[in-house]
Amino acid sequence: MPIRPPILQRGDTVGIVTLGSPLNANLINERIGVLRAMGFNIVLGQFVYAQNGFLAGTDEQRASDLMMMFENEQVKMILPTRGGTGVAGILPYLDYNVIRNNPKIVTGYSDITVLLNALHQIVDLITFHSLLLIDFKSETPAYNFDQFFSATSLYSLTRPIQNPPGFPLISRVPGNVTGPLVGGNLTSFVDTLGTPFEIDTRGKILVLEETHEPTNTVYRYLNHLKLAGKLNDCIGIIMGECTGCQAAYGISYEDLIEEFVVPLGKPLITNLATGHGLYKAALPIGAMVNLNSVNNTITVVEPTISV
């Protein structure tokens, strides 16, 4: 049975870390103000404001901040400021036994999904493909906060993952499968192939999303996953948005799904509000999920937090 992190409640302490690319200090402080207004206490990593070129400190520094949050008994949720690049660099420096014995809610998307899936695969901790610190702002759609707090602050035996009104899920290949959910940002996962941290899709439902890549590059990444056996090993596929992805050679993202993903014959639902899009579903990485592309539903079928 997977490890379920303790429930998040108002008044709890949130640990803020920067695990990939740096973020402007004023923006970090502004978003922290929103969290405090929501009733949360804040603990900052030592290197949360750091910048080392295109990284927020060295790999060892960013890893030490993350471990500090797992070791802090007061911290109930670890909230990265952003993704960007470089999260995979911290993975060799983490103490996974400490993490296993001190489970916390870990949330994020973009390059943070490398960490989310590593914690699932190595520790068997349920993590959340959901909000980052940058998303705690007044303009964030209520849907995003509803999804986030439903996943992290409400104990339930089942939870439907639904898009906002007017943003339909689309069933493309019929089927009905249940398995652990893995995945996230396509670029980030391709970068881990051939490493000790490459994504394991065997018997699992794979969700993918991307941002600001032309479709010929998205094809290259999908084909890399296929050649690595990842698309053959999974039992179902959920394709999220490809935010800002431009058509290349007349082939759109929808064309690519129809010509490349549909022929794989796996139960397939597309158009899930994910990651880099305006609307962000909260996806529990490592939890059992039912993908029913006959009824066009995605349902979490186990609790994802402990009480």
Side-chain angles (χ1 to χ4, degrees), residues 163 166-170 172 238-241 253-254 257 269-274:
N163 275 1
F167 195 137
L169 294 172
I170 302 172
R172 305 289 276 270
I238 302 170
M239 296 298 292
E241 297 174 81
Y253 180 59
E254 286 300 312
I257 290 174
I269 287 180
T270 66
N271 205 44
L272 179 64
T274 44

Side-chain angles (χ1 to χ4, degrees), residues 209-279:
E209 63 89 41
E210 189 51 89
T211 182
H212 289 90
E213 294 285 0
T215 53
N216 58 327
T217 300
V218 177
Y219 163 78
R220 176 185 294 174
Y221 294 156
L222 287 172
N223 197 51
H224 194 166
L225 286 182
K226 180 181 178 181
L227 294 175
K230 303 304 178 181
L231 300 183
N232 183 61
D233 289 346
C234 71
I235 59 173
I237 300 173
I238 302 170
M239 296 298 292
E241 297 174 81
C242 200
T243 311
C245 293
Q246 298 298 313
Y249 300 92
I251 301 297
S252 69
Y253 180 59
E254 286 300 312
D255 294 332
L256 185 58
I257 290 174
E258 193 63 33
E259 296 175 12
F260 187 94
V261 185
V262 169
L264 296 172
K266 305 282 183 174
L268 172 64
I269 287 180
T270 66
N271 205 44
L272 179 64
T274 44
H276 294 88
L278 174 63
Y279 298 106

Side-chain angles (χ1 to χ4, degrees), residues 11 74 77 146 173 181 185 190 260 305:
Q74 298 303 313
M77 179 173 73
D146 290 344
V173 178
L181 184 70
N185 182 251
V190 169
F260 187 94
I305 49 175

Side-chain angles (χ1 to χ4, degrees), residues 17-24 28 45-66 81-87 90:
V17 290
T18 304
L19 302 179
S21 298
L23 186 64
N24 177 272
I28 291 174
Q46 182 180 353
F47 301 100
V48 71
Y49 301 115
Q51 181 169 354
N52 179 25
F54 50 78
L55 298 173
T58 66
D59 293 342
E60 294 91 336
Q61 287 171 337
R62 288 176 283 123
S64 69
D65 266 5
L66 182 59
T81 60
R82 62 166 299 183
T85 191
V87 177
I90 74 173

Side-chain angles (χ1 to χ4, degrees), residues 50-283:
Q51 181 169 354
N52 179 25
F54 50 78
L55 298 173
T58 66
D59 293 342
E60 294 91 336
Q61 287 171 337
R62 288 176 283 123
S64 69
D65 266 5
L66 182 59
M67 291 310 307
M68 182 184 75
M69 296 306 173
F70 276 109
E71 292 164 354
N72 187 331
E73 294 183 0
Q74 298 303 313
V75 171
K76 293 297 187 290
M77 179 173 73
I78 300 173
L79 181 63
T81 60
R82 62 166 299 183
T85 191
V87 177
I90 74 173
L91 299 181
Y93 300 101
L94 302 181
D95 188 329
Y96 294 97
N97 286 325
V98 169
I99 294 172
R100 182 179 292 108
N101 292 324
N102 298 274
K104 319 273 185 181
I105 291 169
V106 183
T107 176
Y109 57 94
S110 192
D111 208 40
I112 299 299
T113 51
V114 172
L115 173 66
L116 302 181
N117 285 266
L119 294 181
H120 156 58
Q121 290 177 197
I122 298 172
V123 180
D124 206 14
L125 175 67
I126 291 177
T127 56
F128 298 91
H129 190 274
S130 189
L131 303 185
L132 292 163
L133 177 67
I134 55 175
D135 299 304
F136 283 82
K137 55 184 178 179
S138 59
E139 312 94 271
T140 293
Y143 166 87
N144 296 6
F145 288 127
D146 290 344
Q147 283 278 305
F148 176 76
F149 287 112
S150 291
T152 60
S153 299
L154 291 176
Y155 181 89
S156 60
L157 298 179
T158 63
R159 178 174 68 90
I161 297 175
Q162 299 171 318
N163 275 1
F167 195 137
L169 294 172
I170 302 172
S171 291
R172 305 289 276 270
V173 178
N176 187 352
V177 291
T178 300
L181 184 70
V182 297
N185 182 251
L186 176 59
T187 302
S188 300
F189 290 126
V190 169
D191 286 346
T192 66
L193 295 178
T195 77
F197 307 103
E198 74 174 29
I199 189 170
D200 180 4
T201 63
R202 291 171 295 179
K204 299 176 181 179
I205 295 170
L206 176 63
V207 59
L208 295 170
E209 63 89 41
E210 189 51 89
T211 182
H212 289 90
E213 294 285 0
T215 53
N216 58 327
T217 300
V218 177
Y219 163 78
R220 176 185 294 174
Y221 294 156
L222 287 172
N223 197 51
H224 194 166
L225 286 182
K226 180 181 178 181
L227 294 175
K230 303 304 178 181
L231 300 183
N232 183 61
D233 289 346
C234 71
I235 59 173
I237 300 173
I238 302 170
M239 296 298 292
E241 297 174 81
C242 200
T243 311
C245 293
Q246 298 298 313
Y249 300 92
I251 301 297
S252 69
Y253 180 59
E254 286 300 312
D255 294 332
L256 185 58
I257 290 174
E258 193 63 33
E259 296 175 12
F260 187 94
V261 185
V262 169
L264 296 172
K266 305 282 183 174
L268 172 64
I269 287 180
T270 66
N271 205 44
L272 179 64
T274 44
H276 294 88
L278 174 63
Y279 298 106
K280 306 179 194 302
L283 309 177

